[in-house]
Amino acid sequence: MPYRDAHLSVDFQNQAATLDSIPMVLTRKEYELLALLVGYAGVIVPRAELLMRVWGYSTEIRTRTLDVHIRHLREKIEQDPKDPEYLFTVRGVGYRFRDTEE
């Protein structure tokens, strides 16, 4: 079932996202990360799980790749990336996509 709100929609079947009805240009990893977070809307997804499921990295690998991809996604979907409406950082734990009821 696709995700839809007033601005953002994610079509899991077609692996596509739109913002204000305009198709978004996302890299494969950006889309996979967004789809995973949207699929767990409202739930904090730990960094280790995101790294494993999107990149296949073990918990022993230290990387800033996740943070860079989150920053790029915020630049693409947030009106103000410094005051996010969708992608929230939970310091020391991971990231959370807004609750569908927010």
Side-chain angles (χ1 to χ4, degrees):
M1 191 157 195
Y3 170 84
R4 277 191 187 22
D5 68 24
H7 300 283
L8 179 68
S9 77
V10 179
D11 180 345
F12 300 105
Q13 185 174 6
N14 294 312
Q15 296 185 348
T18 61
L19 185 65
D20 294 326
S21 300
I22 299 170
M24 295 178 66
V25 177
L26 300 172
T27 67
R28 191 179 105 208
K29 294 296 184 191
E30 287 172 345
Y31 174 79
E32 288 175 9
L33 181 58
L34 178 62
L36 181 60
L37 288 166
V38 169
Y40 286 99
V43 175
I44 300 167
V45 183
R47 290 181 61 82
E49 182 174 345
L50 292 167
L51 286 167
M52 177 57 79
R53 296 201 40 205
V54 175
W55 285 273
Y57 293 169
S58 74
T59 56
E60 297 166 7
I61 294 176
R62 300 284 181 241
T63 181
R64 302 304 295 174
T65 298
L66 176 58
D67 306 301
V68 170
H69 279 76
I70 290 288
R71 181 172 47 99
H72 290 167
L73 276 174
R74 281 185 177 143
E75 289 170 356
K76 292 178 179 184
I77 69 172
E78 303 286 4
Q79 289 183 6
D80 179 2
K82 295 183 186 219
D83 185 22
E85 296 176 46
Y86 290 105
L87 299 174
F88 298 93
T89 301
V90 181
R91 291 199 186 275
V93 181
Y95 293 94
R96 176 179 66 86
F97 186 83
R98 69 183 282 178
D99 191 326
T100 54
E101 296 177 10
E102 286 183 69

